[in-house]
Amino acid sequence: MRDAIARALEAATSAGASYADARVVESMHERLSVRTGRVEGIESGESLGIGIRVIAAGAWGFAATADMSAHGVRAAAAEAVALARAAAATAHHAPIVLSPVDAYRDTWTGPCEIDPFTIATEDKLAILLAADEAMRAEAAVRVSSAALDFLHVRKLFGSSEGSLIEQAYTESQAGIVAYAIGDGEMLPRSYPNSHGGQAVQGGWEAILALDLTGNAPRVGEQAAALLSAAPCPAETTTVIIDGSQIALQVHESIGHPTELDRVLGDEAAFAGTSFLGLNDIDTFRYGSEHVTVTADATVPGSLGSFGYDDEGVPAQRDFLVVGGVLTSFQSSRESAPAMGRASNGCMRADGWNRQPLVRMTTVSLEPGTWDFEDLIANTESGIYLETNNSWSIDDKRLNFQFACEIGWEIRNGALGRMIKNPNYTGITPAFWGSCDAVCSPDHWQVWGIPNCGKGEPMQVAHVAHGAAPARFRDVRVGVGR
Amino acid sequence: MRYSLENARILAERAVHATHADAAEAVVTSESSALTRFANNRIHQNVAESDTRLSIRAVLGTRTGVASTNRHDDEAITRCAAAAVEAARHAPEDPDFGGLPEAAPITAVSRVSATTAGYDADRRAEAAAAIIGQSSARGFVAAGTIATSDYAVAVANTGGVSAVMEADDLRATVLSTGLQGGSGWASFLTSDAASFSPSALGGRAATTAERSERPAALDPGVYTVVLAPEAVSDLLDFLGYLGFGAKSFAEGGSFLTEAIGTSLVDERISIYDDALSPGTIGLLFDFEGQPKQRTPLIAGGVAVGPVTDSYYARKLGLPNTGHALPAPNPYGPMPLNLELAAGDSTEAEMIASVDRGIYVTRFHYVNVEDPMKIVLTGMTRDGTFLIENGALTTPVRNLRFTQDVLDALSHVGAIGSQRALVGPGEGGATLATALLLERWEFTGQTG
């Protein structure tokens, strides 16, 4: 790895790059999936390659190859420089200026108590098959699924400024879903979260802690009960949203619009821009006084954590929103100068073959003071919503609509009858402005989101969000119901 | 550089021979791709990559396991094959697995173009400049991409399958942003870059942006809509993802499951999957090396059936339509070349026939609220206009819709005569027309 890095940097600078960095990324993954009693897949894979990013003639070029031979690496470096020159020759613009960063020679390793790749396949399948079967104890659950995913990444970053940083981490993910089918409806119920479950930096210990088998009967029962649950009323009401859905709400309506590359227009044609502008820092009211949001790459065990980002900037904890007021953006070395600051370390790439982009780390709604039971008891009328089922938001991150798997009426301070297919919609600042309560650290946890798409060519980032249940007033629910 | 056809075939066959199992299958995908990305009227990313992935499926009785790698030395192939066999050894027997498919004749269609292959970084930069020029001349801002992909795919198995093909494509997109809230979008996808006119593409987006300046508010509600092909492609893609695959069909989670032979939508609606259709792109065989076939999904408004692969064809007693994705995957067989049969109306004729309605250039961030009724929600974007008395009049701020798509396709006013190829490229794309739909529910608007 070190030889490849040195070779890439030497070739790039020799070809005329004023700056170069190179990342060698070696990864291995394993996935086991069970569906309705059938082992659907047992697969594993590995990948190795190098991505070389350069500035030449004032523009970026990036080339990546799986050919790790000396010739292959040098050719990729030369191609990166040629790409930069091509970009510069026909698109006149101010040369790229990077915010300063020290040169680091360091190593970082994520937490992992029990290496999941050492666990016998039979043991993994036993958990999946047991959970899958337990969900189907309910006859209405006609389809069930359970899956485990493991990833190990080892990467080495070097730059022409003298950094050489080696990092390694392991990710573990698990989830189960029961699908109740009847009367033209298919209603999912998931645990511990939808869209693949929960994902963390950690090992087999994290899977055991989820107790998939123990939770499966409840998941199946709730899925079956949804078929006869009440439809979501179409009204404007108070909603209390569980932590996992708050995590996605933060992701879509705070995480993405505070990415500085979106603010500056670099993602306009694909993911979109942001309703926020550079001048909004320290003045824009994002939400109520209860809304404080951090971007933190130092949270232990989070998918959003690392020692250094993919341009060698140390992991940091920054405040994006304090007491409802916007205070910062997630940035890179190139974009940070636009707000007169140094990078807060949010550049991440989806593997060796992608150029880093501004990506979320662990973007969290900081906990409040409420006990969950007290919050329900304090709510006269409304709906309690759990677990995301669908998400959509406009290109400026203002107009959103989320559907959840399940809800319960709240009447006179108590949870009432179950509601199926609940959804809600809103406009970002008004929605966060209506937040009048956030639950305490006792109810706060970090949710991994391993499927955040952005960029062209598409990149899928593994990010995370800390969240606790929170309450919002005057929210429109039951849209299109 | 990607592998040649012959080297891709050799690698796949090496992998099959290295796999000590009852049966084995290898899939090689080798690709060189490049993408020039521009925003704020400048190129801000210029990237290229090359990679070759090998995936091996090992079969022991009715047990299967899969392993993959992007290393191709003997040791790596041996390790990958052993991992696949080891996975199969741990898998339970699957009585529905009928073995790997046998070789079948594949229709030869050229999917490579010398012009596309020659579309290098300098050509892409020139194209970006031409696109940008159409916006900057109006004082507008352009963003978008010009991307090329050149790939070879080889599939081999112990049953005699040895399928190989190569293809390339070019995709360009442009978003033009005006000075007073207007924006316009245009995209282009082709296997032959000779037909690509960057300035025309840039001009189309900039013209729409100009026309959509100063958008007005409009009350949400049920409107007649004219959807441009790019918006229609979203609807087709979700129908394909949620309902046209044999897996959801077999599980009872598809709108097709209880509807075969019954009228599902307007009788003028016919939807096919056809990788051999003139003008489309993508693979001529699936990831089991089986030939893709023109597969009717909805014909004259009547539900016909799903696409299949070898597993679901056997399980359901249906023909294998050649729509396997790489094994294993959570989706089952999928249609990658959907097309809506053309009608007889031009887009101008559709607009002229509407007293009051909305024209939609494209949707943004569409997602599923009900997977069986195909209730979708999403936003309009980059060119939404009020139609009054047969003409586009006021540009409209972006609207959110929440709509039952099958219901919308049951109230068709007209179907476009011109089809556009829409999609991300690499493996497939959707041939869509414009559609005039009599009822479409907008449920919100960004203020």
Side-chain angles (χ1 to χ4, degrees):
Chain A
M1 276 189 171
R2 287 172 187 255
D3 289 347
I5 295 285
R7 203 168 280 129
L9 297 178
E10 192 279 327
T13 51
S14 295
S18 59
Y19 169 84
D21 60 38
R23 282 176 300 112
V24 174
V25 183
E26 182 179 35
S27 66
M28 62 177 181
H29 76 268
E30 181 183 30
R31 177 177 171 81
L32 300 92
S33 57
V34 169
R35 195 165 176 100
T36 323
R38 174 192 174 216
V39 174
E40 198 169 53
I42 304 173
E43 66 167 313
S44 61
E46 61 179 15
S47 178
L48 173 67
I50 184 169
I52 303 161
R53 186 179 73 148
V54 307
I55 298 174
W60 285 117
F62 176 84
T65 182
D67 181 355
M68 296 295 290
S69 68
H71 171 76
V73 170
R74 288 196 188 99
E79 184 176 19
V81 173
L83 286 163
R85 292 192 192 286
T90 51
H92 304 289
H93 60 276
I96 293 159
V97 176
L98 302 178
S99 65
V101 64
D102 291 339
Y104 294 94
R105 301 182 85 82
D106 201 359
T107 60
W108 179 88
T109 304
C112 178
E113 293 177 20
I114 307 170
D115 182 355
F117 293 93
T118 66
I119 301 299
T121 302
E122 286 86 348
D123 293 344
K124 294 168 179 168
L125 284 177
I127 288 177
L128 295 179
L129 288 165
D132 180 78
E133 183 177 6
M135 286 187 286
R136 283 181 287 110
E138 294 284 341
V141 177
R142 290 173 51 189
V143 177
S144 54
S145 72
L148 293 169
D149 285 273
F150 304 102
L151 173 71
H152 181 75
V153 175
R154 176 174 167 242
K155 58 185 177 181
L156 185 64
F157 169 89
S159 77
S160 58
E161 296 174 339
S163 281
L164 189 64
I165 301 163
E166 183 167 3
Q167 304 188 82
Y169 58 89
T170 299
E171 294 179 358
S172 296
Q173 178 179 357
I176 58 174
V177 192
Y179 298 90
I181 299 176
D183 297 329
E185 292 185 302
M186 181 167 68
L187 300 166
R189 188 69 184 117
S190 307
Y191 172 81
N193 200 358
S194 50
H195 316 306
Q198 171 68 315
V200 300
Q201 278 187 1
W204 183 243
E205 71 282 357
I207 303 301
L208 296 177
L210 292 174
D211 188 15
L212 296 181
T213 310
N215 280 278
R218 174 187 58 80
V219 169
E221 289 163 13
Q222 288 188 339
L226 280 169
L227 282 177
S228 55
C232 184
E235 62 181 357
T236 298
T237 188
T238 296
V239 296
I240 296 175
I241 300 173
D242 84 307
S244 68
Q245 173 60 26
I246 288 289
L248 195 61
Q249 179 77 51
V250 168
H251 179 93
E252 302 291 2
S253 67
I254 298 179
H256 279 306
T258 57
E259 293 165 341
L260 190 49
D261 58 343
R262 289 184 68 124
V263 173
L264 296 175
D266 285 350
E267 285 290 327
F270 184 63
T273 59
S274 172
F275 64 92
L276 299 166
L278 286 172
N279 293 332
D280 288 331
I281 291 179
D282 294 332
T283 62
F284 183 79
R285 178 149 286 281
Y286 212 113
S288 73
E289 63 186 9
H290 304 283
V291 177
T292 290
V293 180
T294 54
D296 189 346
T298 69
V299 179
S302 167
L303 286 194
S305 290
F306 44 76
Y308 299 82
D309 75 0
D310 284 331
E311 53 180 7
V313 175
Q316 297 167 46
R317 173 178 165 88
D318 197 5
F319 283 83
L320 302 177
V321 178
V322 176
V325 176
L326 178 75
T327 53
S328 189
F329 294 115
Q330 301 162 80
S331 68
S332 64
R333 292 187 66 190
E334 180 185 10
S335 61
M339 58 175 177
R341 301 179 185 180
S343 170
N344 54 15
C346 295
M347 282 291 264
R348 305 173 71 188
D350 178 9
W352 54 268
N353 57 347
R354 291 293 182 268
Q355 184 169 339
L357 300 172
V358 175
R359 303 306 302 247
M360 291 173 233
T361 53
T362 304
V363 176
S364 302
L365 176 65
E366 293 298 302
T369 58
W370 283 81
D371 181 77
F372 179 72
E373 301 299 328
D374 292 343
L375 186 59
I376 295 290
N378 181 259
T379 303
E380 186 171 340
S381 172
I383 298 177
Y384 170 60
L385 302 165
E386 272 190 7
T387 317
N388 180 264
N389 194 25
S390 174
W391 65 103
S392 173
I393 190 164
D394 71 16
D395 56 305
K396 291 185 171 54
R397 299 278 149 174
L398 274 172
N399 184 320
F400 62 80
Q401 184 162 311
F402 291 98
C404 290
E405 289 185 349
I406 194 168
W408 286 269
E409 283 184 346
I410 305 171
R411 289 288 178 266
N412 302 316
L415 294 179
R417 62 178 182 165
M418 184 183 288
I419 293 173
K420 64 178 165 186
N421 278 328
N423 69 358
Y424 66 99
T425 189
I427 302 296
T428 294
F431 177 79
W432 286 108
S434 77
C435 177
D436 72 346
V438 180
C439 285
S440 70
D442 290 344
H443 304 280
W444 190 92
Q445 80 168 88
V446 175
W447 296 91
I449 294 185
N451 60 347
C452 176
K454 181 181 175 182
E456 293 176 290
M458 171 64 88
Q459 301 195 37
V460 178
H462 296 192
V463 305
H465 306 282
R471 184 171 66 187
F472 301 83
R473 301 292 193 181
D474 300 322
V475 177
R476 186 179 165 206
V477 302
V479 184
R481 299 294 189 253
Chain B
M1 290 289 288
R2 71 159 169 85
Y3 273 37
S4 66
L5 276 181
E6 189 56 24
N7 284 342
R9 184 199 301 273
I10 290 169
L11 177 57
E13 291 177 350
R14 268 174 69 202
V16 168
H17 291 135
T19 306
H20 304 298
D22 297 343
E25 171 190 82
V27 178
V28 172
T29 55
S30 183
E31 179 177 23
S32 292
S33 59
L35 184 144
T36 297
R37 199 172 192 210
F38 52 95
N40 296 310
N41 291 343
R42 66 177 174 91
I43 294 173
H44 67 111
Q45 285 180 30
N46 213 9
V47 305
E49 68 169 292
S50 61
D51 193 16
T52 298
R53 290 208 63 81
L54 164 67
S55 177
I56 297 173
R57 176 161 53 154
V59 180
L60 297 171
T62 61
R63 299 173 292 159
T64 62
V66 175
S68 64
T69 182
N70 72 340
R71 307 182 204 184
H72 313 126
D73 55 273
D74 288 341
E75 182 187 342
I77 292 172
T78 300
R79 188 170 64 243
C80 183
V85 172
E86 181 67 7
R89 196 173 64 76
H90 292 291
E93 298 285 347
D94 183 350
D96 287 327
F97 180 72
L100 299 174
E102 298 177 350
I106 294 162
T107 303
V109 177
S110 174
R111 288 273 156 87
V112 293
S113 151
T115 313
T116 305
Y119 224 88
D120 61 13
D122 290 335
R123 292 284 303 278
R124 295 196 307 276
E126 290 165 11
I131 290 171
I132 290 167
Q134 294 292 324
S135 285
S136 60
R138 294 168 166 87
F140 294 175
V141 174
T145 56
I146 299 133
T148 58
S149 176
D150 175 24
Y151 57 96
V153 177
V155 182
N157 75 20
T158 45
V161 166
S162 182
V164 62
M165 71 168 288
E166 57 188 346
D168 53 22
D169 56 57
L170 178 147
R171 181 173 186 255
T173 62
V174 55
L175 167 73
S176 179
T177 303
L179 301 172
Q180 299 175 82
S183 63
W185 170 264
S187 72
F188 187 78
L189 176 62
T190 183
S191 63
D192 183 3
S195 57
F196 175 42
S197 169
S199 60
L201 191 75
R204 191 147 58 90
T207 300
T208 304
E210 202 163 38
R211 194 168 188 174
S212 64
E213 291 280 59
R214 297 178 298 282
L218 184 71
D219 288 337
V222 177
Y223 289 84
T224 296
V225 292
V226 175
L227 305 181
E230 191 123 354
V232 173
S233 76
D234 276 337
L235 309 187
L236 295 172
D237 291 347
F238 273 98
L239 288 173
Y241 168 60
L242 296 168
F244 288 146
K247 182 177 178 181
S248 63
F249 181 86
E251 291 180 341
S254 162
F255 58 86
L256 285 183
T257 303
E258 304 293 335
I260 298 301
T262 66
S263 180
L264 199 59
V265 292
D266 187 285
E267 64 183 13
R268 286 167 292 175
I269 295 290
S270 291
I271 300 171
Y272 302 85
D273 188 83
D274 190 359
L276 306 177
S277 193
T280 196
I281 62 170
L283 300 176
L284 302 167
F285 53 82
D286 70 3
F287 288 94
E288 293 181 318
Q290 297 302 293
K292 286 182 175 276
Q293 302 169 21
R294 179 177 172 82
T295 307
L297 303 162
I298 293 177
V302 174
V304 178
V307 297
T308 62
D309 57 12
S310 67
Y311 182 88
Y312 282 99
R314 182 175 188 273
K315 185 179 177 75
L316 295 168
L318 295 172
N320 184 350
T321 62
H323 288 84
L325 297 184
N329 69 80
Y331 310 107
M334 279 282 133
L336 301 179
N337 290 87
L338 286 170
E339 57 179 85
L340 176 63
D344 57 5
S345 297
T346 66
E347 208 170 280
E349 288 169 342
M350 291 183 194
I351 293 168
S353 70
V354 175
D355 289 336
R356 182 175 168 80
I358 294 174
Y359 177 87
V360 177
T361 296
R362 70 163 174 150
F363 292 131
H364 174 81
Y365 221 134
V366 180
N367 213 330
V368 186
E369 294 232 342
D370 185 325
M372 288 189 74
K373 294 186 179 70
I374 318 296
V375 176
L376 305 178
T377 187
M379 298 293 299
T380 67
R381 186 177 173 184
D382 306 326
T384 307
F385 298 93
L386 190 62
I387 305 171
E388 294 175 297
N389 302 317
L392 299 185
T393 57
T394 311
V396 176
R397 290 179 192 164
N398 290 330
L399 291 155
R400 171 169 295 286
F401 69 88
T402 306
Q403 176 64 47
D404 176 335
V405 173
L406 295 177
D407 181 68
L409 292 177
S410 298
H411 298 86
V412 174
I415 301 172
S417 54
Q418 298 294 314
R419 298 199 296 188
L421 190 63
V422 183
E426 295 187 45
T430 299
L431 272 169
T433 72
L435 269 181
L436 169 57
L437 302 174
E438 292 167 349
R439 298 202 325 232
W440 189 266
E441 184 170 9
F442 292 102
T443 52
Q445 184 169 50
T446 305

